[in-house]
Amino acid sequence: MDYKEYTAKKISELCGMEFEEAVRLTEIPPEQKLGDLAFPCFSLAKTLRKAPQLIAKELSEKFSEDKYIQKAEAVGGYLNFFYNRAEFTKDVIENILKNGENYGKSDFGGEKTVLVEYSSPNIAKPFHIGHLFTTALGHSLARIYEFLGYNVKRLNHLGDWGTQFGKLICAYKLWGDDEAIEKDAIGELLKIYVKFHEEAEKNPELEVTAREHFKRLEDGEKEETELWQKFRDLSLKEFKRVYDMLGVDFDSYNGESFYSDKMPEVVEILREKNLLSESDGAQVVDLSELNIPPCIILKSDGATIYATRDIAAALYRHRTYDFYKNIYVVGTAQALHFQQIFAVMKKAGWEWSDGCQHVNFGLVKFPDKKLSTRHGDVVFLEDVLNESVSKTLEIITENTPLMENKEEVAKKVGIGAVLYTFLKNSREKDIVFSWDSMLDFDGESAPYVQYSYARGRSILRRAGDRNKNVDFSVVTSDDEYALVSMLAGFSDAVMLAAEKNEPFYVNRYVTNLARQFNKFYVSCPILKDGIPEEVKNTRLELVDAVCTVIKSALYLLGIETVESM
Ligand code: ARG
């Protein structure tokens, strides 16, 4: 039953307002003591030529109690509605327990296709901590859209093309050590790449050779292509190890190289539409009307660049998926790049480009340089995840020395802790990396929420078989009811997260839910002696519902639950 619609219907009957308008106006009051829904009477004041306070008062007098709404109270210019707690509780809990992990799902998206492009690391370069931001956000957004009934495709736009591969091939041929590469591919490739730059300072000839290698790679020459393929395969193998740890996967790994043969068409289209002009020998699209620098399409040597590949990729995605939305989860540093390519597409008359959106995010900062990594200055994501797992294992071993599956729990909690940190605030905010807050079992952290879940599950286990003697009218205290209200708000939080492309709404939701659950746990004993049977049983139903929703919400964040910790 939809209580909001039900209440809106009542309002429209009471004051003659259109039902849709009443739905639009009703809101959730800021405090529980102000009821479940509030109807502001300010807009009626004009038409009725009365003070809103008076309207609220008159409406409250006209209102009569029914099965679902217990009372309507006038406070200031608002009419506050109070649901019948027992009825509402029954409705919410039964709905959750009947639907299980499907509770809160909807078909709002109507199977429209949403592309979520995320992660997109660069071949032969470190998969570093910055990539975790896009990986965590994108993984979560993909699940959120799916939950709302969209057809989601996960895309990894690998950075696997560009002149740097000429340098890498050159470096490999000079100093490549297959044995070392076998052990630590990216670390070693990075090492020879850095060495290339050092040596090229002294010997500029190397740059020429590198350019030749890239040219040969573009022309599909055997040796270069094989080497490039080898670097790509080795890198992908390392990336996939991290993806496995995070439970992340993709529908497509079509990276920049995939579009290298699709660019001539783009150049042709832009030329035909008279959008290209020359600037210092390069072909560019002028964007001065938007007050941004021109978008370079072809460099002076005729080579295409990052932007050209992105435009070709967008066109390909449009043709392949006919998307409703094409989301790029990429750092704020690339905001101008996306502004430029979106503007070029718009100028080309591609109306569908309105569905393209840059979902940006901030930086990761390290206040204490104490992060141990085997790679010196660069913070490899894999190292951070491993470190988090081992730190978690230490904490668990200290807290619960006898726990059986410590390693497994430490994995889920340690990785959850890292993910949570990246989804905890509005994405545009920078992250200050701190092990202490990340692994604070009592703070705003994944371990706190996971612990709350485990606590709930342990109560249910201890209770054993539940007899179904439940009575929702006995669990209507403020602490119980606050929990029920929050459970009812799950899908609103998910909707908001999708609307703003901000998983933190789900994160904040589940953290508050866990907090309220712990409050309830203290004030409402469940398995203690002397608790009446129906109170115990009904509270157990509530606990079960809370666990179900915590698990679903964490799932949307990419975080796993554990049964005990
Ligand atoms: N590979 C790039 C990087 O690591 C990110 C790619 C972003 N996606 C895109 N379509 N340009 O910085």
Side-chain angles (χ1 to χ4, degrees):
M1 143 117 184
D2 189 324
Y3 272 73
K4 187 169 180 183
E5 288 194 358
Y6 182 81
T7 311
K9 221 170 113 217
K10 284 241 148 188
I11 295 167
S12 75
E13 282 163 15
L14 274 176
C15 66
M17 174 182 271
E18 290 283 330
F19 166 72
E20 281 78 20
E21 181 69 356
V23 173
R24 201 179 59 80
L25 286 174
T26 46
E27 50 192 60
I28 295 173
E31 278 175 277
Q32 182 172 308
K33 68 173 200 290
L34 294 172
D36 295 287
L37 270 187
F39 174 69
C41 300
F42 306 97
S43 64
L44 284 176
K46 261 206 194 122
T47 39
L48 298 178
R49 293 170 183 280
K50 272 187 212 166
Q53 291 86 337
L54 188 63
I55 299 174
K57 191 161 168 289
E58 284 176 5
L59 291 177
S60 74
E61 281 157 7
K62 249 166 88 183
F63 174 85
S64 54
E65 171 186 351
D66 68 16
K67 182 172 172 208
Y68 302 109
I69 306 181
Q70 203 188 16
K71 65 175 175 181
E73 215 173 61
V75 176
Y78 288 87
L79 186 61
N80 294 334
F81 293 90
F82 293 79
Y83 300 156
N84 174 333
R85 286 188 172 188
E87 234 6 91
F88 185 68
T89 301
K90 176 174 188 293
D91 190 74
V92 172
I93 293 183
E94 284 182 351
N95 189 2
I96 295 171
L97 297 184
K98 188 176 89 206
N99 288 296
E101 63 185 30
N102 290 323
Y103 170 74
K105 274 191 189 167
S106 74
D107 49 14
F108 181 82
E111 288 291 313
K112 285 192 291 261
T113 299
V114 172
L115 308 180
V116 185
E117 186 218 285
Y118 63 105
S119 201
S120 311
N122 301 321
I123 296 304
K125 290 268 182 67
F127 192 173
H128 58 76
I129 191 85
H131 289 116
L132 181 55
F133 219 149
T134 153
T135 308
L137 277 168
H139 181 46
S140 172
L141 285 174
R143 286 187 170 180
I144 287 172
Y145 278 104
E146 242 162 26
F147 202 70
L148 295 175
Y150 290 92
N151 171 28
V152 174
K153 294 281 177 235
R154 297 158 164 84
L155 311 181
N156 194 328
H157 189 77
L158 286 179
D160 60 359
W161 205 247
T163 46
Q164 69 273 27
F165 289 99
K167 297 177 187 172
L168 191 60
I169 290 169
C170 178
Y172 177 82
K173 286 173 70 99
L174 290 170
W175 315 293
D177 172 353
D178 275 329
E179 213 174 291
I181 291 178
E182 198 55 46
K183 277 199 209 106
D184 175 16
I186 293 181
E188 193 58 26
L189 291 175
L190 183 66
K191 203 163 101 192
I192 59 171
Y193 186 70
V194 170
K195 182 165 174 158
F196 174 89
H197 285 273
E198 286 163 6
E199 297 292 323
E201 296 246 319
K202 292 175 251 164
N203 174 11
E205 268 302 294
L206 284 177
E207 295 279 2
V208 179
T209 317
R211 266 201 295 281
E212 280 165 12
H213 280 306
F214 183 60
K215 178 84 184 58
R216 288 170 57 84
L217 177 62
E218 279 190 303
D219 294 342
E221 297 288 346
K222 191 162 179 281
E223 189 187 13
E224 279 78 4
T225 306
E226 276 174 8
L227 283 176
W228 169 83
Q229 190 67 49
K230 170 178 166 140
F231 303 150
R232 193 181 191 273
D233 292 348
L234 285 168
S235 306
L236 210 51
K237 206 168 125 198
E238 288 204 16
F239 299 160
K240 283 193 172 157
R241 219 162 50 218
V242 176
Y243 292 144
D244 280 348
M245 287 174 93
L246 295 169
V248 166
D249 53 19
F250 295 93
D251 296 295
S252 161
Y253 282 92
N254 285 343
E256 293 185 45
S257 66
F258 181 77
Y259 302 101
S260 57
D261 64 353
K262 297 174 181 55
M263 289 185 288
E265 187 194 354
V266 168
V267 176
E268 215 27 65
I269 294 175
L270 298 178
R271 199 181 314 255
E272 238 170 55
K273 303 205 174 196
N274 263 327
L275 294 175
L276 292 183
S277 55
E278 206 193 293
S279 166
D280 290 335
Q283 295 290 310
V284 306
V285 176
D286 177 70
L287 300 171
S288 53
E289 73 275 19
L290 294 170
N291 268 325
I292 52 176
C295 183
I296 302 175
I297 300 296
L298 287 176
K299 287 200 289 194
S300 53
D301 62 0
T304 55
I305 60 163
Y306 187 53
T308 330
R309 290 191 279 277
D310 252 329
I311 297 171
L315 182 59
Y316 174 84
R317 290 179 191 173
H318 163 66
R319 288 173 177 161
T320 310
Y321 302 106
D322 189 20
F323 57 75
Y324 162 67
K325 272 193 195 185
N326 174 25
I327 290 173
Y328 299 85
V329 187
V330 183
T332 303
Q334 295 194 32
L336 177 62
H337 163 75
F338 285 106
Q339 243 184 312
Q340 289 174 311
I341 62 161
F342 295 166
V344 170
M345 296 195 275
K346 194 76 188 174
K347 279 188 121 169
W350 298 346
E351 287 309 322
W352 51 262
S353 70
D354 286 342
C356 295
Q357 193 181 352
H358 176 207
V359 170
N360 62 325
F361 55 83
L363 300 171
V364 188
K365 296 187 167 157
F366 296 92
D368 47 354
K369 278 240 141 206
K370 270 181 282 165
L371 213 69
S372 69
T373 106
R374 61 197 168 100
H375 295 104
D377 276 352
V378 194
V379 182
F380 275 52
L381 177 50
E382 191 174 10
D383 297 344
V384 173
L385 295 177
N386 284 328
E387 173 105 12
S388 185
V389 171
S390 69
K391 280 182 186 294
T392 306
L393 187 60
E394 271 170 38
I395 299 175
I396 296 178
T397 310
E398 206 180 295
N399 292 353
T400 334
L402 295 176
M403 188 190 287
E404 273 167 21
N405 50 347
K406 266 190 260 176
E407 270 80 16
E408 199 195 319
V409 172
K411 245 190 215 150
K412 292 182 177 173
V413 175
I415 287 175
V418 183
L419 286 170
Y420 182 102
T421 303
F422 283 79
L423 303 171
K424 166 167 144 178
N425 291 312
S426 163
R427 58 186 154 75
E428 292 185 46
K429 249 176 108 168
D430 293 342
I431 288 178
V432 181
F433 195 95
S434 144
W435 286 119
D436 287 344
S437 70
M438 197 142 79
L439 296 176
D440 179 358
F441 280 45
D442 302 314
E444 230 183 280
S445 68
Y448 175 77
V449 181
Q450 287 165 315
Y451 179 74
S452 310
Y453 175 85
R455 169 180 262 174
R457 297 292 297 168
S458 132
I459 297 170
L460 295 172
R461 273 195 307 275
R462 273 185 287 138
D465 278 343
R466 266 140 62 197
N467 78 47
K468 288 286 167 184
N469 175 9
V470 294
D471 175 359
F472 291 97
S473 67
V474 297
V475 295
T476 54
S477 71
D478 283 354
D479 274 340
E480 286 158 324
Y481 194 63
L483 209 44
V484 172
S485 291
M486 291 177 102
L487 290 172
F490 177 43
S491 59
D492 285 349
V494 183
M495 281 290 274
L496 196 58
E499 200 181 299
K500 311 251 189 232
N501 291 309
E502 281 282 22
F504 101 90
Y505 285 110
V506 174
N507 194 317
R508 194 169 65 184
Y509 169 82
V510 74
T511 306
N512 288 338
L513 180 62
R515 215 174 265 142
Q516 182 58 34
F517 176 61
N518 288 317
K519 206 163 158 229
F520 153 85
Y521 177 81
V522 174
S523 68
C524 303
I526 303 169
L527 300 179
K528 253 208 193 128
D529 285 344
I531 301 288
E533 192 68 2
E534 65 279 10
V535 173
K536 179 182 100 181
N537 286 328
T538 320
R539 283 184 180 156
L540 286 169
E541 299 280 286
L542 182 53
V543 172
D544 200 350
V546 169
C547 287
T548 304
V549 175
I550 291 185
K551 191 179 172 105
S552 293
L554 287 179
Y555 169 82
L556 294 180
L557 300 171
I559 299 172
E560 293 192 73
T561 48
V562 293
E563 290 300 307
S564 53
M565 69 184 264

